[in-house]
Amino acid sequence: MFDSRHLPVEDRFAAWQHITADTIYPMTISTECERRFEARLNAVELGDTHVSAQSYASMTTRRTPRLIRQSDPETYAVSLSRRGRQTISQDGVQAVLGAGDLVVYSTSRPYDSVVDVRLGTASSVLAQIPRSDLPLPWDRVRRVMAVRLSGCDGPGRLLAGFLTGLAADTGDSYRAADRRRLGGVLTDLVTAWLAHHVDATDRMPVETRQRARVGEIQDFIRRNLGDADLTPAAVAAAHHMSPRSLHRLFHDHAVGATVACYIRDQRLARTRRDLADAGLATRPVHAIAARWGFPRPADFSRAFRAAYGIPPGEYRRRRLGGAGADPSDRPVP
């Protein structure tokens, strides 16, 4: 964790240079607003993969041949732009990024990065993945180096959502095994995303393809929870596969969860969130349930109580009535 606001103004930029060299990799950084410079960084290690959520004022960053000779982690850097305007240039290709855009570049090749924000700070999430962990040939991946790619559709949306989720968590609650698994998930998502753009899906290992497929299906389910007709059969049909194949895929790659259980648990998680939202306090419980695919109030009440040990109405009263934390407020598996 790093926050320049905790330091004297005259030390902030130098501290940012030091923390990025130590946490990410060495690079030269310059800015025209050194006296007004602000930056924050939250980094987490996921096995051999590293992720850092960053915000920063306007600056120029360069990775030079000399710095590469001094220290080359041999990684792919995948950046999700969240706020501000940023330009990445590498090997004669330039990407101009806005909010929601993704880009990949190599730490083993020189590059320039320019961040331009007139007010406030820009922000991004950076993932560093060892080149040896991606089963895609270099000559394919280099086709999309420093190319702006959307984080709003297809595999890009899955990757952007995962990175955003990681950025929202300090990682303090992760055990070592959790970190390794999350690193594996991230590597699979990056592989699927790059393979999609370089037409190299056939080069992906079967396990990676299947895990990426599960991620796509789970994303589809989360986006359609409000449809009361969302059933395992409907999910299978939408993905052009048999229900049996869908169930087998989930059993093998979703920690044994069934499709029906995943749909139910995601719906319950959304209703629980809305019931604890003071802005929705006047909305009837049955309306919240119907919004998330529970058209029959009695069925919803039974499912909610089975999951959390308390009726939905009582859960709402405890959460909105100032009674403090509810011991039944545990995560949905």
Side-chain angles (χ1 to χ4, degrees):
M1 295 285 291
F2 170 83
D3 190 334
S4 66
R5 294 174 298 181
H6 299 157
L7 300 172
V9 172
E10 62 271 18
D11 295 337
R12 292 177 178 178
F13 185 64
W16 176 250
Q17 292 175 303
H18 175 77
I19 195 70
T20 53
D22 186 56
T23 305
I24 304 175
Y25 44 76
M27 48 192 143
T28 63
I29 307 175
S30 59
T31 182
E32 295 180 355
C33 55
E34 188 168 332
R35 295 291 300 179
R36 305 185 307 278
F37 190 79
E38 290 186 18
R40 286 176 289 282
L41 181 146
N42 176 31
V44 60
E45 292 188 4
L46 306 175
D48 293 331
T49 300
H50 301 260
V51 177
S52 55
Q54 308 172 36
S55 63
Y56 31 70
S58 296
M59 62 181 184
T60 297
T61 303
R62 290 189 173 89
R63 179 95 166 126
T64 65
R66 181 178 63 83
L67 290 175
I68 293 170
R69 287 193 297 271
Q70 290 178 358
S71 173
D72 183 7
E74 297 185 351
T75 62
Y76 288 120
V78 177
S79 179
L80 168 66
S81 178
R82 304 181 70 194
R83 184 176 66 247
R85 185 174 184 270
Q86 183 172 6
T87 302
I88 297 280
S89 303
Q90 187 170 63
D91 291 339
V93 182
Q94 184 180 87
V96 179
L97 309 175
D101 289 332
L102 288 159
V103 68
V104 60
Y105 51 98
S106 172
T107 63
S108 301
R109 302 287 301 165
Y111 74 81
D112 293 347
S113 168
V114 179
V115 177
D116 183 13
V117 282
R118 298 188 181 280
L119 296 173
T121 57
S123 68
S124 64
V125 185
L126 178 70
Q128 295 170 251
I129 301 170
R131 279 179 51 179
S132 58
D133 285 358
L134 263 64
L136 301 175
W138 165 253
D139 64 333
R140 296 280 191 99
V141 177
R142 70 183 305 173
R143 298 176 189 174
V144 292
M145 289 289 187
V147 173
R148 183 181 67 85
L149 301 172
S150 173
C152 299
D153 51 47
R157 180 176 58 212
L158 294 178
L159 176 57
F162 191 77
L163 290 173
T164 299
L166 290 174
D169 198 325
T170 64
D172 293 340
S173 60
Y174 299 151
R175 296 174 297 180
D178 297 329
R179 294 172 186 267
R180 288 193 297 272
R181 281 192 289 266
L182 288 170
V185 171
L186 178 56
T187 299
D188 286 340
L189 287 175
V190 170
T191 300
W193 170 63
L194 289 174
H196 171 76
H197 286 289
V198 302
D199 192 27
T201 304
D202 58 316
R203 301 294 187 99
M204 294 168 59
V206 173
E207 287 286 310
T208 298
R209 282 203 301 271
Q210 291 179 337
R211 285 193 293 265
R213 183 69 164 159
V214 169
E216 293 173 2
I217 293 169
Q218 289 175 329
D219 179 62
F220 172 83
I221 290 171
R222 291 191 296 269
R223 288 185 288 110
N224 291 277
L225 290 172
D227 183 356
D229 294 325
L230 184 70
T231 63
V235 173
H239 290 84
H240 311 291
M241 59 196 310
S242 70
R244 183 175 181 178
S245 296
L246 176 64
H247 286 300
R248 184 168 58 247
L249 189 66
F250 257 65
H251 180 272
D252 293 343
H253 299 286
V255 199
T258 67
V259 183
C261 286
Y262 185 80
I263 294 172
R264 180 202 61 208
D265 291 346
Q266 291 296 310
R267 283 173 167 163
L268 287 170
R270 299 307 191 280
T271 60
R272 185 183 61 170
R273 181 195 64 190
D274 285 1
L275 289 170
D277 186 344
L280 299 175
T282 60
R283 183 171 296 181
V285 171
H286 69 82
I288 288 176
R291 176 190 179 190
W292 294 113
F294 290 103
R296 292 185 287 274
D299 291 346
F300 167 65
S301 183
R302 281 194 297 270
F304 193 95
R305 184 163 192 162
Y308 304 118
I310 185 172
E314 178 64 20
Y315 175 82
R316 168 183 262 183
R317 283 189 291 273
R318 293 190 187 185
R319 291 304 301 266
L320 301 183
D326 179 5
S328 70
D329 186 17
R330 53 187 172 82
V332 175

